[in-house]
């Protein structure tokens, strides 16, 4: 049987990545839906909704402060680093991430599209307050739960909670890039959360070659051109070397 022709990456290939919690798993950040996943605890899911967080901001901040402490202690792994090196080596690559940990940026990727915001920015929970989101890297947080200096409402992490719309500009940027992509890599996501998972479907419908990297099959597997099972810290550098015909060599530093 004729082997499937390998996809060939050149410097003009437009590569986009949709990453999920699985890309940060080897860095030590827990995923959401595995056996010990965060979202198995319904009380925690509630805290990741606007109503749930505001009903108990102290509990909400306890949850997010703990995650910030965990993320601060973690480092980018070979999956994040191999994407950042690809960019440094002059390939046209854009990361669209569901993650809020900023490990892609810490690895050196730029122009990362953060679909769900980031836990390293705070914003006022009062939608009509003039205060804009700001960086905050206090680990642990200085107060039990921080209050807005302008309107004294509780501050919250600048992440997209469940039942919240994603930022329109962010969705437009992700859409535009997905529609201008030759190779779409779906890395470490269960493909359950929308609209994020929809970008993989859109890429496929738009004719991109879609490769899924995961440790198990997901609900996106059926339409992917390839699914490569294994830890993405290993499978991703290998795939990039294979698809560039060895032009690109991941240097683990
Ligand atoms: C929206 C930020 C319109 C916060 C997150 C009913 C009511 C309300 C809404 C809905 C509803 N039904 C559906 C919806 C829409 C909802 C949704 O999709 N729900 C799902 C659960 C069904 N979406 C929304 O609410 C979105 N907004 O739709 O607005 C609206 C408005 C009002 C009312 C209705 C709709 C907003 C979604 C954003 C939510 N915020 N996070 C925080 O993190 O605290 S979502 C959360 O899930 C994270 O961002 C996470 O990234 C994301 C997706 O999860 P994954 O990244 O895929 O992680 P997961 O653990 O699931 O999978 C990890 C994968 O990695 C696994 O496959 C595993 O096998 C693999 N893996 C593990 N290790 C490795 C690996 N792979 C490779 N290598 C390894 N080493």
């Amino acid at each position: 049987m004729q082997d499937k022709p390998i996809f060939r990456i050149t410097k003009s290939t437009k590569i986009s990545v949709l990453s999920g919690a699985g890309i940060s798993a080897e860095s030590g950040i827990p995923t959401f839906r595995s056996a010990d996943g965060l979202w198995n605890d319904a009380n925690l899911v509630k805290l990741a909704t606007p109503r749930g967080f505001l009903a108990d901001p102290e509990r909400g901040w306890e949850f997010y402060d703990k995650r910030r402490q965990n993320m601060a202690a973690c480092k980018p792994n070979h999956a994040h680093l191999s994407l950042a090196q690809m960019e440094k080596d002059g390939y046209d690559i854009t990361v669209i991430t569901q993650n809020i940990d900023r490990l892609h940026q810490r690895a050196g990727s730029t122009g990362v599209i953060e679909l769900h915001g980031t836990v390293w920015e705070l914003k006022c929970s009062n939608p009509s307050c003039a205060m804009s989101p700001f960086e905050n890297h206090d680990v642990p947080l200085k107060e039990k739960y921080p209050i807005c200096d302008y309107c004294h409402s509780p501050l919250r992490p600048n992440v997209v909670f469940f039942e919240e719309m994603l930022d329109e500009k962010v969705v437009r940027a992700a859409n535009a890039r997905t529609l201008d992509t030759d190779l779409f890599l779906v890395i470490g996501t269960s493909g359950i959360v929308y609209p994020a998972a929809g970008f993989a479907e859109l890429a496929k419908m738009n004719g991109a070659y879609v490769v899924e990297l995961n440790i198990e099959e997901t609900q996106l597997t059926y339409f992917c051109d390839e699914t490569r099972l294994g830890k993405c810290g290993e499978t991703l550098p290998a795939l990039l070397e294979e698809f560039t015909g060895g032009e690109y060599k991941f240097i683990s530093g």
Side-chain angles (χ1 to χ4, degrees):
M1 218 267 269
Q2 165 74 18
D3 272 355
K4 214 196 258 263
I6 286 183
F7 186 94
R8 182 58 79 218
I9 292 176
T10 65
K11 289 289 172 80
S12 58
T13 306
K14 291 197 161 86
I15 308 161
S16 298
V17 174
L18 174 69
S19 67
I23 203 168
S24 297
E26 291 160 74
S27 298
I29 297 179
T31 60
F32 295 94
R33 296 174 183 86
S34 49
D36 56 348
L38 280 175
W39 295 153
N40 295 333
D41 177 345
N43 296 320
L44 296 185
V45 178
K46 242 185 9 243
L47 292 174
T49 62
R51 272 187 306 246
F53 185 91
L54 287 178
D56 189 350
E58 196 158 334
R59 181 91 184 73
W61 270 116
E62 200 186 304
F63 173 52
Y64 279 95
D65 188 29
K66 208 159 138 248
R67 290 173 70 193
R68 281 163 50 111
Q69 292 179 45
N70 164 243
M71 291 171 188
C74 295
K75 289 202 292 295
N77 64 57
H78 286 186
H80 303 103
L81 293 166
S82 59
L83 295 174
Q85 186 192 319
M86 201 68 186
E87 182 184 329
K88 266 189 223 99
D89 290 359
Y91 290 89
D92 181 347
I93 184 162
T94 297
V95 175
I96 302 167
T97 189
Q98 300 172 81
N99 299 342
I100 61 175
D101 56 34
R102 289 236 156 125
L103 286 189
H104 283 296
Q105 292 90 331
R106 282 176 53 194
S109 287
T110 64
V112 177
I113 300 174
E114 292 177 318
L115 294 176
H116 298 156
T118 177
V119 77
W120 297 116
E121 281 182 358
L122 308 189
K123 73 175 184 182
C124 182
S125 58
N126 167 7
S128 41
C129 177
M131 154 99 96
S132 16
F134 59 96
E135 291 275 330
N136 171 291
H137 292 264
D138 296 341
V139 171
L141 275 172
K142 291 203 172 66
E143 308 102 321
K144 270 218 172 296
Y145 69 87
I147 294 286
C148 172
D149 293 341
Y150 287 78
C151 72
H152 306 297
S153 311
L155 294 177
R156 54 166 279 187
N158 191 18
V159 299
V160 179
F161 285 143
F162 287 107
E163 301 157 31
E164 273 189 327
M165 304 296 277
L166 278 65
D167 180 309
E168 216 183 295
K169 290 189 296 308
V170 168
V171 174
R172 252 208 306 278
N175 252 324
R177 178 61 194 192
T178 300
L179 292 172
D180 186 24
T181 290
D182 304 309
L183 173 62
F184 196 90
L185 303 177
V186 188
I187 306 175
T189 182
S190 56
I192 290 172
V193 171
Y194 281 82
F199 291 110
E201 292 159 351
L202 181 65
K204 179 66 189 166
M205 282 187 297
N206 193 50
Y209 190 74
V210 181
V211 181
E212 176 181 43
L213 298 181
N214 203 305
I215 51 173
E216 59 191 6
E217 295 199 345
T218 70
Q219 55 190 36
L220 306 178
T221 303
Y222 77 95
F223 66 75
C224 293
D225 294 287
E226 290 184 41
T227 290
R228 296 194 176 190
L229 298 181
K231 291 184 168 185
C232 59
E234 293 147 26
T235 56
L236 178 55
L239 176 131
L240 296 174
E241 288 180 14
E242 183 192 325
F243 278 16
T244 56
E247 280 294 305
Y248 163 93
K249 265 222 151 329
F250 174 59
I251 304 142
S252 55

